[in-house]
Amino acid sequence: MNYLIAFYIEFFIVTLLMPFAIKAAYRMGIVDFPNYRKVHSDPIPRIGGMVIALSVLIVFYFISTSSSFLYIFMISGSIILIAGFLDDCICLNYKYKFIAQIVASCFFVFASGMRIPLLYALFGFESQISIYADIIITSIFIIGTINIINLSDGLDALASGLSIITFVVLAFVAYDSNQSSVLGISILMIGSILAFMRFNVFPATIFMGDTGSQFIGFVRGSCIIVLSYQNNFTILNVGVVPYLLGIPLLDTLNVIYLRIRNKKNPFLPDKNHIHHKLISLNIPQYKAVVCIYVAHFFLLSMGLAIRSWSPVALFSIYIILVLLFLFGINKIYSFNVFPFFRKFYRLSVFQLRIGTSSIIFSRNSVSKFFWHLFFLCLSCYYIFFSLTISDIDISLLSLFVIVLLVSSILCFVLKYGYIIFYKIIFYFFNIVILIYASDHFLFTMDNGLVVIGLIDLFLASIFFLYFICISLTVEKVPVNSIDFLMLIGIFLLFLVSTYESNLMYYLRILVRFVLMSFFINLIFSRFERNLKYVSVLMVYLFAVFVFKAMVH
């Protein structure tokens, strides 16, 4: 199966159907009305999950070979889809939703015969009683994954972005363990959710609703079960499972803890979720979403980094993380530290006292400092790796002349053509450096599975400065949540080894080029101010390329 084709088919179907779904939801009255818990002020359709679930089930049916797992997955997923759609239409009582979740999860576990062998992983023995206990635990696990996604769906593009990060990680694990079914499902989910996010980023024009959140939770739980059961703990250690649930699980545990502590029904909604607390700081929605993305990505990366440890050690570390999260974040919030940071964040001028003297900083000066640091790091990247190019033949120089002529024509034909001229030349230089520059691998881990090169280290540093620059700048920078999600996904691909095939080599080049494109767009968003820098850098790179060609 060509997974790339499957991804584009899924992406195209969801992109095509979503506008029709929005119109149909308004006509049928399937909209989410604002209330005291929600951050939107206008009714918004909540039928996006129906499109996601239907498209994934249909495409997966046609691209998969006939097997018992296919039919079990289709039936279980359809039960979740129907229950979620009814809830979006008529607002089912949570008891009926819970019954549907129990039916779907129990059918999947009993029909497939798969389970999370938790007791065997922890205690090293297996009996008939432990098997039954694992079956019950696995069914509860699926129900839990369904509901924690639903609880985390509180901001535009939050639940969908967290789900994409998780499915990207699951796709890597499935690829490494030759689990074609999980790999296919994960890629289809990534394609469908990514297409949905085009309409769900702030300000959202459609929500996924209970259909989407419950279906995504079910698919994620079933994929984790397949990987846990069939790999004998070599690829997906059972202790890694809670890490893969990420921030939504920690947030759900925290909310339940607060509700029980305050003697409230743990199933009744409130505003104790982490996204509510971030919004209370007057942080923009997309920045709050990005903060949760980064924390989620860090937790998943941590789980994969220590996946070779024993399950007991992994669970012990996770329990410590849960305790730190439960008591740490609530204590910080109760001591009014968040309002202090909010006030500090909004300051345009602040003062640092050292002894009897004081140093006055302004937000503008700090922003300029990091902008200069960003340009310095970017310049070092271009200077160093342009010099590592071993040889440039005349044909490449001829290609540059052609690009120069084409961009010059565009400069005279199109309005603001000089910006296009600079951009085309800049992109050309980046392609040449990424293809011909010599990389220096710093270290490898897991027998070559993880390879970190000097280029990757430079790009990671530039990305860190890029994030600070767009956060501190007063000017409007054209970014949203999906941009940061793409960057996180790109950094995941940095960890893929290059020795496996030529495809992986070119994939890494493509990933690096896309990441550099973000930096180039940031430079050109303030083009008038950065014109001298861009011009000097282009003259330098052209001189280096000509010199290399003459030497060759």
Side-chain angles (χ1 to χ4, degrees):
M1 177 174 60
N2 192 318
Y3 296 110
L4 186 61
I5 294 177
F7 170 85
Y8 281 115
I9 290 174
E10 185 66 35
F11 185 88
F12 174 76
I13 291 174
V14 176
T15 304
L16 185 66
L17 294 180
M18 203 59 70
F20 296 100
I22 294 173
K23 294 180 181 178
Y26 278 121
R27 291 176 181 175
M28 298 170 62
I30 309 176
V31 294
D32 191 38
F33 292 99
N35 59 35
Y36 77 100
R37 290 186 62 251
K38 298 174 182 178
V39 295
H40 62 279
S41 56
D42 298 315
I44 295 178
R46 56 181 181 186
I47 201 174
M50 188 68 181
V51 179
I52 294 174
L54 266 180
S55 61
V56 168
L57 290 175
I58 293 173
V59 175
F60 183 66
Y61 177 79
F62 282 105
I63 68 174
S64 300
T65 56
S66 179
S67 64
S68 59
F69 174 79
L70 170 64
Y71 297 112
I72 293 168
F73 178 79
M74 294 289 295
I75 294 173
S76 303
S78 299
I79 294 172
I80 295 295
L81 187 153
I82 294 171
F85 183 67
L86 289 175
D87 185 35
D88 287 331
C89 292
I90 60 176
C91 295
L92 285 176
N93 186 285
Y94 74 89
K95 296 178 181 178
Y96 298 112
K97 290 193 293 184
F98 196 61
I99 291 173
Q101 294 169 10
I102 293 175
V103 172
S105 60
C106 290
F107 175 79
F108 179 84
V109 174
F110 283 99
S112 65
M114 297 179 185
R115 67 187 188 279
I116 298 176
L118 180 63
L119 297 181
Y120 175 79
L122 292 177
F123 304 109
F125 70 90
E126 190 172 60
S127 63
Q128 199 66 28
I129 297 176
S130 67
I131 291 175
Y132 290 141
D134 285 338
I135 290 175
I136 296 173
I137 292 172
T138 304
S139 301
I140 295 174
F141 170 77
I142 295 180
I143 297 171
T145 57
I146 292 172
N147 286 285
I148 63 174
I149 292 294
N150 192 20
L151 291 172
S152 66
D153 188 18
L155 294 180
D156 296 346
L158 178 57
S160 51
L162 295 177
S163 300
I164 287 180
I165 296 173
T166 303
F167 280 114
V168 168
V169 173
L170 290 177
F172 276 122
V173 176
Y175 171 78
D176 201 33
S177 56
N178 295 319
Q179 290 292 335
S180 58
S181 59
V182 176
L183 179 59
I185 293 172
S186 299
I187 289 176
L188 291 179
M189 291 299 295
I190 294 169
S192 61
I193 300 173
L194 190 61
F196 164 75
M197 282 190 67
R198 293 167 58 88
F199 306 89
N200 188 236
V201 293
F202 180 79
T205 56
I206 190 170
F207 292 154
M208 67 171 61
D210 276 5
T211 307
S213 59
Q214 292 187 46
F215 182 78
I216 290 172
F218 166 76
V219 174
R220 185 170 68 168
S222 59
C223 289
I224 292 174
I225 290 170
V226 174
L227 293 173
S228 301
Y229 181 71
Q230 295 189 355
N231 284 306
N232 199 22
F233 321 127
T234 55
I235 299 298
L236 185 57
N237 190 325
V238 173
V240 180
V241 171
Y243 294 87
L244 293 179
L245 299 180
I247 291 299
L249 177 57
L250 290 178
D251 187 34
T252 301
L253 293 174
N254 181 56
V255 169
I256 292 175
Y257 162 74
L258 291 176
R259 291 172 184 173
I260 294 175
R261 190 186 68 178
N262 297 328
K263 298 180 181 180
K264 295 181 179 179
N265 188 336
F267 297 102
L268 292 179
D270 55 27
K271 299 189 72 171
N272 283 321
H273 289 281
I274 187 171
H275 54 265
H276 289 133
K277 295 180 178 180
L278 290 175
I279 292 297
S280 69
L281 305 179
N282 290 336
I283 295 177
Q285 270 205 48
Y286 85 92
K287 290 188 178 181
V289 169
V290 169
C291 291
I292 301 175
Y293 283 172
V294 173
H296 184 69
F297 174 69
F298 172 77
L299 195 58
L300 266 65
S301 302
M302 178 182 176
L304 291 183
I306 60 177
R307 66 183 181 273
S308 59
W309 295 13
S310 68
V312 176
L314 289 172
F315 280 119
S316 300
I317 294 173
Y318 191 79
I319 291 173
I320 295 173
L321 287 175
V322 170
L323 294 175
L324 289 174
F325 190 85
L326 291 182
F327 298 104
I329 192 170
N330 293 320
K331 285 293 182 183
I332 291 173
Y333 200 81
S334 63
F335 288 154
N336 293 324
V337 177
F338 283 153
F340 167 77
F341 282 114
R342 176 179 61 189
K343 182 179 179 182
F344 177 80
Y345 179 80
R346 296 175 66 183
L347 282 176
S348 59
V349 179
F350 55 94
Q351 187 173 351
L352 175 65
R353 292 187 178 276
I354 303 176
T356 57
S357 59
S358 62
I359 304 175
I360 297 176
F361 295 95
S362 67
R363 183 188 180 91
N364 188 38
S365 63
V366 175
S367 176
K368 283 184 177 180
F369 171 77
F370 280 104
W371 271 97
H372 290 143
L373 206 58
F374 170 80
F375 284 120
L376 177 63
C377 193
L378 197 64
S379 302
C380 291
Y381 165 82
Y382 282 119
I383 292 171
F384 179 80
F385 289 105
S386 62
L387 295 176
T388 61
I389 297 176
S390 56
D391 53 6
I392 295 180
D393 50 26
I394 301 299
S395 60
L396 185 62
L397 207 60
S398 303
L399 179 61
F400 172 75
V401 173
I402 295 173
V403 171
L404 190 65
L405 291 174
V406 172
S407 56
S408 299
I409 294 173
L410 291 175
C411 179
F412 287 103
V413 172
L414 301 178
K415 189 178 180 181
Y416 302 114
Y418 67 96
I419 299 179
I420 297 177
F421 170 79
Y422 277 96
K423 249 188 176 181
I424 292 176
I425 303 300
F426 226 68
Y427 277 119
F428 177 82
F429 284 143
N430 274 280
I431 293 173
V432 173
I433 291 175
L434 290 174
I435 294 177
Y436 290 94
S438 300
D439 198 359
H440 302 271
F441 294 104
L442 303 179
F443 58 88
T444 61
M445 297 185 298
D446 292 343
N447 297 321
L449 181 62
V450 178
V451 179
I452 302 296
L454 188 59
I455 290 181
D456 299 333
L457 188 63
F458 260 104
L459 294 180
S461 303
I462 298 170
F463 166 69
F464 176 73
L465 296 171
Y466 166 88
F467 181 79
I468 294 178
C469 287
I470 64 174
S471 299
L472 291 177
T473 185
V474 179
E475 302 162 343
K476 176 65 177 176
V477 179
V479 294
N480 57 33
S481 306
I482 199 169
D483 295 321
F484 291 96
L485 183 67
M486 290 180 62
L487 292 176
I488 291 174
I490 286 168
F491 270 99
L492 281 174
L493 292 178
F494 278 148
L495 305 181
V496 179
S497 174
T498 57
Y499 72 88
E500 294 182 7
S501 64
N502 290 331
L503 178 62
M504 287 297 182
Y505 170 74
Y506 291 113
L507 182 61
R508 285 172 69 89
I509 291 178
L510 177 62
V511 165
R512 290 168 173 171
F513 177 73
V514 172
L515 192 58
M516 288 302 302
S517 299
F518 278 95
F519 306 148
I520 293 173
N521 287 332
L522 180 61
I523 295 172
F524 281 87
S525 67
R526 302 157 49 112
F527 181 74
E528 297 294 339
R529 193 175 303 176
N530 302 325
L531 179 59
K532 291 182 179 179
Y533 170 81
V534 173
S535 301
V536 171
L537 191 58
M538 287 175 55
V539 170
Y540 163 78
L541 291 174
F542 177 70
V544 171
F545 290 171
V546 171
F547 176 77
K548 294 280 185 179
M550 292 175 61
V551 172
H552 177 70

